[in-house]
Amino acid sequence: MAQADFCSAGKTGATLSVDAARLRTIAAVAMMRETEVLPLDRALGRVLAEPPLARVNLPPFDNAAMDGYAVSTRDLTGEGPWRLPVSDRVAAGDTRSITLRPGTAARIFTGAPIPAGADAVIMQERAHRDGDMLIVSEAPRAALNIRRRGEDRRAGEPALPSGHLLTAPRLALLAGTGIALVSAFRKLRVGLFSTGSELQEPGSPLRHGQIYNSNRVMLRALLAQPWIDLTDYGILRDDAGAIRAAIRRAAEANDIVISSGGVSAGEEDHILDALRCEDATLDVLKVAIRPGKPLTVGRVGGALYVGLPGNPYAAAVTFGQIARPALRKAAGLSEMPEPWIPAVAGFDYPRTTGRREYIPVTWDQRDAMGRPVVQRLGRGASASLGPIAMARGIAVIDPDMPHVSAGQPLQVEPLFE
Ligand code: AMP
Ligand code: MG
């Protein structure tokens, strides 16, 4: 008996709901612990491992929010208008320690430090000059047009929580608080391969019976994240030994291994047998999802293995529903992306119950409440690529719903890629 036949004993496993499969997959992966220190200009899109502490107050000193005149509201009591001599001029970058002479005003520009003794800035459009005198007709309230020292972030306090992605505005915040280096989780190592003896890469000629590899470029694109370090192992033929060796090699070198194809119960589907031979723990085998029912999640050595179905639309949906949340957790990300938007069905669809269904949709109209009225694309064939390529989102249909009727509320997951 060949090794692969031996390992194929007992292809069973309960069918899980999408939510249960997602939770099991997330539970099967450990959160990243290893960290590295990065300068801000190399940290875009990386995950904060420790909350960086503000080195200085932001802003570091009280400063003018407008071009205008710094005054003391104590000088502007009783009946206006008031006439104040302009006694000083302070521009951004002025490093003197200035005190406002009582009974006077200081010309001031946006970002300049507020002189001691001043407690409001009158914007220049609301002030009148008469030579060296400022004429104020309306007394400002205290603190008007002043950005307070530390009002954005206080020195010594965490500038951002850990587990957050470093986006452009977050990098700006860290820079503003004087942080030059951040502690980020090391990149998640992800290995990828496509299985299928029928696959050819675009650019090479196609023989009868062959198809072009759509999943490789799609999954590479979905995995192109600054927090992922991707190794692409290319195409594997439907050969038990080759697949087993590839799984072992990829599991040794990566935190997560993702493959497409070969997870159904056919004789040429070798992933499951290969995993069993490698003593994998199998956590998810069947999911009540359309498209994408056969899906294999397990652990091989120290790695999480996610075997996606071969049909490209099924691979895309199961990647988004099952693989992506696990990748995010493994990378140390604790922020959740917006899961869905409320929408309304613009179509009727009698359906077979039992599986949660993901339907590519688009829209060009909204209802009175501003919800997109979505139209279905395609006829639901999981091999079709046209519909998902043109979709603006994916409508999520409850497993028990016997039909979708025009006008009924739907949840739609927006597609950005
Ligand atoms: P499998 O999951 O291996 O049974 O594949 C299911 C279907 O998806 C078959 O029609 C395959 O030819 C097709 N398929 C598998 N992998 C890919 C791929 N990388 N690109 C496009 N189609 C694929
Ligand atoms: Mg196959």
Side-chain angles (χ1 to χ4, degrees):
M1 186 189 264
Q3 177 76 331
D5 296 335
F6 171 74
C7 296
S8 69
K11 277 185 185 172
T12 50
T15 299
L16 301 173
S17 70
V18 176
D19 294 334
R22 184 187 301 117
L23 288 175
R24 278 208 194 183
T25 307
I26 291 172
V29 82
M31 199 181 120
M32 178 64 67
R33 296 264 162 254
E34 292 159 61
T35 63
E36 60 184 314
V37 174
L38 296 173
L40 287 193
D41 60 4
R42 282 181 44 219
L44 178 65
R46 298 293 298 273
V47 184
L48 268 177
E50 281 156 42
L53 303 182
R55 298 184 73 87
V56 299
N57 285 301
L58 182 63
F61 48 88
D62 292 358
N63 69 93
M66 295 276 179
D67 290 343
Y69 295 87
V71 297
S72 166
T73 54
R74 283 178 301 277
D75 293 332
L76 304 170
T77 52
E79 280 291 295
W82 301 268
R83 289 172 67 84
L84 302 171
V86 178
S87 59
D88 212 330
R89 184 179 187 281
V90 209
D94 194 329
T95 55
R96 295 173 298 159
S97 289
I98 302 165
T99 302
L100 183 71
R101 292 217 319 269
T104 71
R107 180 77 171 118
I108 198 162
F109 300 93
T110 305
I114 303 291
D119 65 351
V121 170
I122 300 172
M123 64 193 279
Q124 63 190 21
E125 291 81 356
R126 299 196 160 221
H128 301 281
R129 278 293 284 268
D130 179 11
D132 287 343
M133 301 300 283
L134 177 74
I135 299 150
V136 180
S137 43
E138 200 186 323
R141 59 176 171 75
L144 185 71
N145 296 327
I146 293 180
R147 304 169 181 149
R148 285 279 169 217
R149 169 178 198 254
E151 72 177 19
D152 214 345
R153 286 293 185 276
R154 297 213 153 270
E157 287 181 355
L160 286 172
S162 63
H164 275 47
L165 204 63
L166 285 166
T167 59
R170 290 171 183 174
L171 290 169
L173 173 70
L174 298 188
T177 56
I179 293 164
L181 301 171
V182 288
S183 168
F185 288 117
R186 80 146 161 81
K187 291 188 183 193
L188 188 71
R189 293 185 195 115
V190 179
L192 175 70
F193 53 84
S194 337
T195 73
S197 298
E198 71 279 34
L199 300 178
Q200 281 293 331
E201 289 303 337
S204 53
L206 209 57
R207 308 234 313 270
H208 179 68
Q210 296 181 323
I211 61 168
Y212 284 123
N213 186 355
S214 290
N215 290 340
R216 184 182 190 180
V217 71
M218 176 181 76
L219 292 168
R220 280 183 73 127
L222 291 169
L223 291 164
Q225 300 289 342
W227 46 272
I228 288 179
D229 183 4
L230 183 71
T231 305
D232 182 353
Y233 297 93
I235 297 174
L236 291 181
R237 305 291 147 204
D238 293 316
D239 172 86
I243 287 179
R244 208 180 142 185
I247 288 179
R248 188 183 316 135
R249 190 158 71 102
E252 277 165 9
N254 294 283
D255 302 300
I256 298 190
V257 179
I258 296 179
S259 66
S260 73
V263 289
S264 321
E267 270 165 42
E268 293 299 336
D269 296 314
H270 299 292
I271 297 285
L272 208 51
D273 293 345
L275 286 170
R276 289 205 166 101
C277 288
E278 290 302 316
D279 285 331
T281 319
L282 296 171
D283 297 278
V284 176
L285 294 176
K286 279 181 226 137
V287 185
I289 185 171
R290 180 154 57 211
K293 186 175 179 184
L295 173 76
T296 299
V297 176
R299 274 159 298 159
V300 191
L304 177 77
Y305 191 91
V306 183
L308 303 172
N311 274 316
Y313 181 46
V317 167
T318 49
F319 178 88
Q321 298 302 315
I322 310 289
R324 189 175 1 227
L327 288 160
R328 293 176 69 92
K329 174 189 167 188
L333 266 167
S334 57
E335 283 182 286
M336 289 296 147
E338 184 65 64
W340 54 269
I341 56 169
V344 178
F347 60 94
D348 287 295
Y349 168 42
R351 61 183 292 276
T352 315
T353 57
R355 293 197 261 164
R356 187 182 286 174
E357 188 166 353
Y358 294 83
I359 298 179
V361 293
T362 190
W363 62 90
D364 54 17
Q365 281 175 17
R366 290 174 183 265
D367 72 358
M369 284 158 73
R371 294 175 298 186
V373 179
V374 302
Q375 301 303 329
R376 183 176 184 206
L377 293 172
R379 282 187 197 81
S382 63
S384 302
L385 277 168
I388 183 64
M390 296 311 292
R392 294 180 67 182
I394 300 180
V396 185
I397 314 297
D398 198 74
D400 303 328
M401 191 173 290
H403 52 256
V404 177
S405 320
Q408 86 173 60
L410 286 179
Q411 295 184 0
V412 168
E413 299 187 2
L415 281 176
F416 300 112
E417 290 111 345

